[in-house]
Amino acid sequence: MGILTSYRLRWQRKRWRLRALQKGRDLREVANRTKRIAPDDILLFCVFRNEDVRLPYFLSYYRRLGVNHFIMVDNDSQDEGAAYVLKQPDVSLWTTKGAYGDSRFGMDWLTYLQGKYAPGHWALTVDVDEFFVYPFCDTRPIRALADWLDASQVRSFGAMLLDMYPKGPVGSTNYKAGEDPFKTACWFDPGNYVISRNALLRNLWIQGGPRARAFFAGKPKQAPALNKIPFVKWRKPYTYVSSTHMMLPRGLNLVYDQQGGEKTSGILLHAKFLNTFVERASEEAERGEHYKGGKEYKTYAERHGADPDLWCEWSEQYINWRQLEILGLMSKGNWA
Amino acid sequence: MTLGVIMLVHTAFDRAEQMVRRWAEGGCPVVIHVDRNVEPATHDHFVHAISDLPDVRFASRSRCEWGTWGLVEATQSAATLMLDEFPSVSHVYLASGACMPLRPVSELEAYLARHPDTDFIESATTADVPWTVGGLDRERFTLRFPFAWKKNRKLFDLAVRLQQLVGYRRALPEGLVPHMGSQWWCLTRQTLEAILQDPKRPAYDRYFKSVWIPDESYYQSLVRMHARRVESKSLTLAKFDHQGKPHIFFDDHLELLQRSGCFVARKIWRDAELLFQTFPQPSAPDQIDAEPNTGAVDRLFSQAVERRTYGRPGLFMQSRFPSSDRQAVLTASPYAVLQGFDDIFPDFQRWLARRTGAEVHGHLFARDRVHFADGVELYRGGLSDHPRLRDYNPKMFLTNLIWNAREKHHCFQFGPADSQGICWTLAKDTNASIWVVTGAWSVPLFLSGRSASEVRAEAARLQRIENKFLKVLRSPQVRARVRIMSLAEFVEAPMDVLQTIIDEIAGHKGRAISEAPRMADIEGLAAFLQDLKNQGMHPFLTGDITALTVQTRRRQSRRKPYIVAGK
C-alpha cells in the first residue's frame, strides 16, 4: 500500500510537470530579466489579469519585505497592468492568452516557470491580492526567515489565507492604485476556522472565515480552502497541486505539527473584498474560469446582489502579526 | 595580560573579516582556522582581505564537519600556534566567525583579571546533562561512531543499535571523567599548555577521535585534569533549540543583548546590520563591572522552544494539528456538559448563569440552530449559529468556541434530540465534565400533553440515542469526568447534585444554594411512564419512577408538615 501510494503520487507529480511543460508553450516572453537573479535571491511568482489598480502596492509591499525578483504572467489583461509591470526593473514578464481555467488556474504556467527559474531559491507564490505576513515581518526581512528556515532544514512554509473586509458594504469602498488595501479592508474573523486532514496528500484543509459564515453556511463543504503553502525552497521536481493549497512531493505539505507543538507559520492577508470585488464577482461568474467554474463567484452574486457586508460585532481590526499570533491564527513556533 | 582569540570560520567571510578587525582593534592577536571544505579562491580572498593586520595568523586547515574530530584538531593547531607566536597571551578565547563581542575587549580583560587563574568553560558530567540531541549522553563516550550523524543518519542509528545490542563498551583512558558543555571556552595559558603538552595526549586524542561530538567534550573533560579553578560557564552567549541548533540574533534583539551584559554572543544573523554597527558597546560607568546576566535571553528562547514542542493546549490551527489520539486535552479550558437538567428545570439555564457567573449556553448542538448563551446569532470569533456549518466539523466548532472565550467556564445543555456528532470528542476530552440525568427526555414528552401512544415512537428514539451516548461515556477510552444518574435517582435529591455542579463550576466562588430552580410539575409522570410501558415501550433509562409520587409528596411535606401526619 505504502509503495503503491507513493508510486501513484510520483506519477501524478510527473503528470503535472509534463502538463506544465505543454502549457508553458502558451507563454510568450515579454521581458526576461532573469539573468539579474543572484544565486541567493528570493523570487516571487504571480499570475495576474486586469489588476492595474492593485499592482503598484503589491510590488512595493513585497519589495519592502525583501523580495529580489518578480516572475509574473499576464493572462491577457485589457488594462494598463502589463505596461506598468514592464517598466519595473526587477520584474520578468510573460504573457498568455490561454484560458485561466484550462491551465489549472494559472498553476501550469507558474509550474513551468518555477521549474526553470526557481530551483535553489526560496520562492514565494501569491496572487496579486495576497499579502504575506510572517513572524517578525515588521523587523526582519524575508531573507531572515529564509535563512532561519534553511538553518532549521525546513523546506516549505505555511501561511493561511485570511479574508479581510471593510466595515459596511464592500462596494462602498473606494480603492485607488498604490493605496494600502488594509486601510479600509482591515477587519477579519478571528476564530471560526475549521480544519481537517487530507490523508493522501497529508495537507490540512482549512475552511471558514467570513465567506463560510456569510455565503456557505448552508453548504459548508463548498466553502473555499484557506490553507496555503506559499513559501518554498524550490527544487526541480516540486509542483503545486491545487493553487498553492498543496504540493507534491507530499512531504512539503507537513507544515504543521501533530504532537501538540506549533511549527512556525504565517498569514496571507487577502485583500479580496474591496469595491473591485463587486465588479469582479459578476464578471467572473459569467466567465466561469475560476475554480469549480466560478461557482464561488456565482454564489456571491446570488446571495448579496454582489455587494455584501461581511462585518459583524466579533470582527477583529487588524493591527499587526503579533495580534494574529496571540489569536492563534499563526505561530512563531521556535523562532524568537 | 593579553587575550588571544582563536576564530573558526567556514562561511560568511565578510562578517568574519569584520569580527577579526573588532578583536584586533581591541588589541587581541587572532589565530584563524578556515575550514578545509572552503574553496581555495574564497580562502585566498579572505586571507588577502585581512593581510594588513599584523597580529593575525592562519592555522593549518582541517576538515570541519559537524560533530567530528576535525573541529578539535582545528582548535588544537590554532591554540598551539597562538601560544607559540604570541608569548604575551595569558588567556585564549575560542570564537567563531558568527560570534560577536558585545562589550569592549578591555572590559573582558578586566573581568578575566578579576578572576585570576580561572578557566571559563562549561563542563558538566554526563549524568547531569539533559541537553543532548539524539538521546545519547553517556554512550557518546562508550560507543564508536564510524558514520556521520548529519549525512548517514540511518547507518549511524544502525551502528549505535548494533553496539547496544551486543553490549559493546569502549574502555575510557585512565583517570578521564567524561564531561560535556558548550564548545566556546576561554582558557588560561597554563591550562591550555598543560592540555596540549600532556605526555598522554596521543592516547586522549586517539580516544576522542571516535567519541561523538568531541568538540563538546574534549576540552571540557581534559580541563578537569589540569585546571586550577574551573568556572563552569561559557562567556559566550549561545542558546540552542530543541533540535540542538543555535538560536540566531536579529536586529530586534538589540535591547535584549544590551541588557544581558554578556561579553560575546552567537549566532548573529549575517545581515543584522544594526547589531554589527552597535556592538561592541562600552558599558555605562556603573555597569563596567557587571556580571553577565542571561536571564531574559534564557526566558525568551525557552519560551520559543516550549511553543514549538508543546504549543498552546486547545488550539487547532494551520501549524498545530495534534491527532486526537495523542492529546488528552482537546480544548483550551474546562467546561461542563449538562444533559437532562433543562428538561427537569425549565429555567435551568438562566438559574445556572446567575448562580455561577459562567457562560451558560443552551443546546449548542440543537438541530434547529446553535443556542449560544443569550441567544445570539454570532458568537465570539465569528462563530455562526447555522447548524450545517456546525455539523460540518462539530469538533472544531467546540474547540473554537472554547478557545475564543477560554477565560470563561463554559456550560452547555445537551440531549438525545441534539446532533450527536460531538459525542466522542466530549468523552475523550479531559476538560469535559459530563453530567447526565438519564431518561429526563421523558419530562418534556409528558408535559407536551400528548398521550403515550402518540409519543411512543419519539420516546423510543430518544432512549435509543441516549443509550448510545451512555455506551460511549462508559467505554474505556473516556477521559472526561462523567456522572450518570437516572431521573429517579436525581429527583430524589436534586439539591445535592446541583450544589456539586455549582461548586465545580464556580469553585471557591460558589455559595450554598439559597434559591432552588423551579422544577417542572411532574405530578403524573409515573402514570405516563406506565402508559408507555403498557404500549410496549419500556423507558428503562428513567429509573424506577413509581416512587416518584411519594417523593413529590415528601418535598411538599417540608412546607406542609401536617401531610406527613396524613402519611
Side-chain angles (χ1 to χ4, degrees):
Chain A
M1 166 68 189
I3 294 170
L4 261 178
T5 308
S6 43
Y7 186 77
R8 185 153 63 100
L9 290 175
R10 183 187 165 82
W11 186 80
Q12 192 186 343
R13 179 168 60 77
K14 299 247 175 205
R15 193 160 57 99
W16 290 133
R17 303 229 329 123
L18 194 71
R19 197 186 142 108
L21 280 181
Q22 284 168 354
K23 294 283 173 188
R25 278 192 246 135
D26 297 352
L27 293 173
R28 193 169 56 78
E29 185 179 300
V30 181
N32 188 338
R33 303 185 178 109
T34 52
K35 285 215 174 60
R36 296 186 196 175
I37 297 174
D40 231 12
D41 275 359
I42 290 168
L43 312 180
L44 183 147
F45 290 83
C46 171
V47 178
F48 65 93
R49 174 191 170 82
N50 294 343
E51 296 281 13
D52 60 350
V53 185
R54 290 172 178 278
L55 281 166
Y57 184 78
F58 175 80
L59 291 175
S60 76
Y61 179 89
Y62 282 106
R63 278 187 195 127
R64 209 166 52 234
L65 285 191
V67 167
N68 303 99
H69 199 90
F70 296 82
I71 293 184
M72 306 188 79
V73 175
D74 162 30
N75 181 16
D76 197 21
S77 292
Q78 304 299 315
D79 61 9
E80 299 305 306
Y84 174 80
V85 162
L86 199 56
K87 280 184 283 182
Q88 313 298 320
D90 51 356
V91 177
S92 292
L93 180 67
W94 281 258
T95 185
T96 176
K97 290 200 187 308
Y100 190 66
D102 278 351
S103 65
R104 284 199 296 141
F105 320 104
M107 280 331 289
D108 284 334
W109 303 323
L110 290 187
T111 307
Y112 170 75
L113 293 171
Q114 279 157 344
K116 211 163 162 186
Y117 299 108
H121 293 274
W122 278 95
L124 187 62
T125 308
V126 288
D127 280 344
V128 183
D129 57 3
E130 294 172 351
F131 295 88
F132 186 40
V133 169
Y134 52 86
F136 307 101
C137 60
D138 46 2
T139 49
R140 302 178 194 173
I142 200 166
R143 179 80 254 161
L145 175 65
D147 283 351
W148 182 79
L149 291 170
D150 274 334
S152 312
Q153 295 171 305
V154 176
R155 303 175 294 167
S156 57
F157 187 81
M160 185 180 95
L161 194 63
L162 188 68
D163 288 333
M164 307 292 290
Y165 48 83
K167 187 173 180 175
V170 169
S172 67
T173 56
N174 186 12
Y175 180 72
K176 294 209 175 55
E179 275 178 14
D180 178 354
F182 306 116
K183 278 227 169 81
T184 44
C186 56
W187 301 87
F188 62 93
D189 280 15
N192 55 3
Y193 300 91
V194 299
I195 309 177
S196 53
R197 188 168 174 270
N198 174 343
L200 179 62
L201 288 179
R202 295 181 182 162
N203 62 294
L204 293 185
W205 191 25
I206 308 179
Q207 293 166 295
R211 280 188 278 176
R213 147 170 82 76
F215 306 138
F216 293 93
K219 38 183 175 176
K221 217 180 154 146
Q222 290 175 22
L226 303 175
N227 48 298
K228 293 233 165 188
I229 305 173
F231 197 44
V232 176
K233 178 72 174 275
W234 208 268
R235 286 187 51 222
K236 190 120 190 154
Y238 292 177
T239 175
Y240 282 111
V241 174
S242 156
S243 173
T244 48
H245 296 311
M246 47 206 184
M247 300 191 77
L248 278 173
R250 61 181 169 175
L252 295 166
N253 295 328
L254 294 174
V255 293
Y256 55 97
D257 189 289
Q258 296 179 81
Q259 316 288 328
E262 294 176 27
K263 288 193 178 175
T264 311
S265 57
I267 283 283
L268 288 176
L269 298 178
H270 197 196
K272 186 190 189 83
F273 297 103
L274 295 168
N275 50 325
T276 46
F277 166 79
V278 181
E279 301 135 34
R280 261 293 154 97
S282 37
E283 183 197 324
E284 299 291 342
E286 270 170 43
R287 223 171 118 235
E289 288 273 332
H290 277 266
Y291 187 56
K292 290 183 186 154
K295 210 179 207 169
E296 188 184 328
Y297 283 103
K298 269 184 204 145
T299 311
Y300 302 147
E302 283 162 18
R303 281 268 312 223
H304 287 265
D307 195 1
D309 179 1
L310 294 167
W311 192 86
C312 75
E313 65 172 312
W314 299 113
S315 300
E316 284 274 341
Q317 190 166 16
Y318 178 68
I319 306 167
N320 56 20
W321 68 268
R322 285 184 194 273
Q323 169 200 27
L324 302 179
E325 223 270 333
I326 290 165
L327 286 169
L329 292 168
M330 59 184 267
S331 180
K332 289 186 286 192
N334 56 327
W335 203 25
Chain B
M1 65 169 291
T2 308
L3 177 72
V5 175
I6 297 174
M7 189 185 283
L8 307 179
V9 186
H10 69 104
T11 177
F13 287 91
D14 48 340
R15 286 300 181 197
E17 180 194 333
Q18 211 175 347
M19 288 306 107
V20 175
R21 290 185 185 279
R22 294 279 157 85
W23 289 113
E25 279 158 22
C28 300
V30 182
V31 174
I32 300 169
H33 178 274
V34 181
D35 185 352
R36 202 154 100 205
N37 290 325
V38 171
E39 305 262 321
T42 318
H43 172 252
D44 295 347
H45 183 79
F46 177 59
V47 173
H48 180 76
I50 45 175
S51 55
D52 59 314
L53 297 173
D55 285 345
V56 171
R57 303 285 184 276
F58 285 86
S60 65
R61 297 168 66 188
S62 310
R63 215 172 276 284
C64 299
E65 255 146 52
W66 186 87
T68 60
W69 172 252
L71 283 160
V72 179
E73 207 171 50
T75 48
Q76 284 176 333
S77 68
T80 314
L81 188 65
M82 173 71 77
L83 298 177
D84 291 351
E85 289 268 316
F86 304 101
S88 65
V89 163
S90 60
H91 288 77
V92 177
Y93 202 108
L94 178 61
S96 82
C99 293
M100 183 171 71
L102 300 182
R103 293 166 69 175
V105 172
S106 56
E107 285 184 29
L108 174 53
E109 284 178 339
Y111 180 84
L112 293 174
R114 282 201 301 279
H115 299 82
D117 301 330
T118 308
D119 298 294
F120 291 91
I121 179 165
E122 194 177 51
S123 159
T125 54
T126 49
D128 319 325
V129 182
W131 65 70
T132 51
V133 171
L136 299 173
D137 34 53
R138 180 84 204 162
E139 286 168 325
R140 288 176 177 213
F141 299 97
T142 58
L143 302 183
R144 285 178 187 275
F145 300 93
F147 303 105
W149 188 70
K150 287 236 159 146
K151 286 187 180 159
N152 284 322
R153 182 78 57 93
K154 278 187 184 152
L155 281 176
F156 179 93
D157 288 343
L158 190 73
V160 167
R161 209 152 329 132
L162 270 178
Q163 294 178 70
Q164 287 170 337
L165 207 66
V166 301
Y168 176 80
R169 278 180 75 96
R170 296 173 65 196
L172 267 64
E174 211 187 312
L176 185 89
V177 183
H179 281 70
M180 285 193 297
S182 162
Q183 67 177 113
W184 313 107
W185 43 249
C186 177
L187 298 181
T188 59
R189 169 178 278 269
Q190 272 153 313
T191 306
L192 200 52
E193 272 175 349
I195 291 174
L196 294 173
Q197 289 160 13
D198 190 320
K200 283 198 270 178
R201 183 179 146 192
Y204 292 142
D205 285 8
R206 216 168 29 248
Y207 169 74
F208 275 101
K209 262 179 200 169
S210 45
V211 162
W212 190 42
I213 322 184
D215 49 316
E216 285 181 4
S217 58
Y218 180 81
Y219 293 97
Q220 289 72 5
S221 302
L222 293 183
V223 78
R224 292 286 173 182
M225 311 174 89
H226 300 289
R228 281 156 297 174
R229 253 193 77 194
V230 173
E231 188 82 6
S232 180
K233 68 175 182 194
S234 172
L235 294 179
T236 301
L237 173 65
K239 291 286 153 205
F240 294 88
D241 68 7
H242 63 298
Q243 297 172 308
K245 138 181 90 61
H247 282 294
I248 303 172
F249 291 101
F250 297 91
D251 279 349
D252 47 18
H253 289 125
L254 177 70
E255 210 183 316
L256 190 76
L257 290 174
Q258 283 172 327
R259 275 184 292 144
S260 76
C262 290
F263 293 105
V264 179
R266 85 186 299 273
K267 277 178 154 181
I268 310 295
W269 183 46
R270 57 177 174 169
D271 290 344
E273 202 50 55
L274 184 65
L275 298 186
F276 284 109
Q277 280 172 14
T278 310
F279 296 113
Q281 193 178 41
S283 305
D286 57 328
Q287 291 292 313
I288 284 188
D289 294 343
E291 285 277 329
N293 172 14
T294 61
V297 185
D298 289 342
R299 268 195 302 283
L300 178 74
F301 289 126
S302 59
Q303 273 165 8
V305 170
E306 197 176 299
R307 175 63 60 93
R308 176 67 188 82
T309 45
Y310 300 110
R312 290 169 274 185
L315 174 65
F316 289 81
M317 47 93 79
Q318 54 168 334
S319 53
R320 179 183 202 269
F321 195 68
S323 59
S324 51
D325 306 332
R326 294 201 178 104
Q327 293 280 301
V329 182
L330 302 177
T331 45
S333 64
Y335 59 98
V337 184
L338 300 156
Q339 174 147 327
F341 293 85
D342 64 328
D343 292 333
I344 302 165
F345 306 106
D347 197 29
F348 183 67
Q349 201 182 321
R350 209 135 38 99
W351 177 84
L352 188 62
R354 222 172 25 240
R355 302 299 320 167
T356 59
E359 186 83 334
V360 184
H361 303 278
H363 284 260
L364 282 182
F365 294 91
R367 302 228 176 236
D368 61 337
R369 58 175 285 240
V370 181
H371 296 265
F372 293 117
D374 305 323
V376 294
E377 279 178 31
L378 278 171
Y379 191 67
R380 280 225 224 166
L383 285 174
S384 156
D385 69 342
H386 203 292
R388 281 215 204 137
L389 209 50
R390 173 202 63 203
D391 291 343
Y392 181 52
N393 193 333
K395 177 182 165 185
M396 281 227 56
F397 170 81
L398 181 71
T399 54
N400 277 337
L401 176 98
I402 292 181
W403 171 261
N404 290 341
R406 58 191 176 280
E407 75 285 358
K408 298 187 176 184
H409 193 115
H410 292 262
C411 311
F412 66 90
Q413 320 305 321
F414 195 60
D418 293 347
S419 182
Q420 298 287 306
I422 194 69
C423 290
W424 273 110
T425 306
L426 298 176
K428 284 187 175 179
D429 185 7
T430 38
N431 270 334
S433 51
I434 306 175
W435 304 76
V436 185
V437 180
T438 68
W441 40 264
S442 62
V443 177
L445 288 183
F446 160 64
L447 294 175
S448 71
R450 289 184 291 167
S451 71
S453 57
E454 282 174 293
V455 300
R456 185 190 175 287
E458 176 67 0
R461 190 179 72 89
L462 295 176
Q463 176 155 268
R464 202 169 50 242
I465 295 172
E466 184 168 79
N467 200 36
K468 224 179 195 174
F469 184 43
L470 295 178
K471 268 192 188 152
V472 169
L473 294 182
R474 285 172 177 142
S475 80
Q477 291 102 305
V478 169
R479 299 200 197 94
R481 294 215 293 158
V482 178
R483 250 67 49 90
I484 300 171
M485 66 219 96
S486 70
L487 179 61
E489 284 172 276
F490 177 73
V491 292
E492 213 164 283
M495 283 308 130
D496 299 351
V497 180
L498 293 179
Q499 183 71 56
T500 320
I501 293 178
I502 282 171
D503 288 348
E504 192 171 284
I505 294 170
H508 64 281
K509 282 177 278 177
R511 280 168 295 156
I513 301 176
S514 50
E515 152 220 23
R518 187 177 57 79
M519 199 187 266
D521 183 8
I522 50 175
E523 197 84 60
L525 178 62
F528 172 75
L529 294 175
Q530 185 58 48
D531 268 357
L532 273 177
K533 283 184 194 166
N534 298 345
Q535 298 277 337
M537 146 61 202
H538 273 245
F540 60 91
L541 290 179
T542 56
D544 188 8
I545 294 281
T546 44
L548 189 69
T549 31
V550 183
Q551 272 303 315
T552 353
R553 211 178 294 151
R554 198 189 296 157
R555 272 197 304 112
Q556 287 170 344
S557 72
R558 275 189 212 128
R559 264 173 281 143
K560 300 175 184 170
Y562 57 87
I563 289 184
V564 176
K567 189 185 162 195

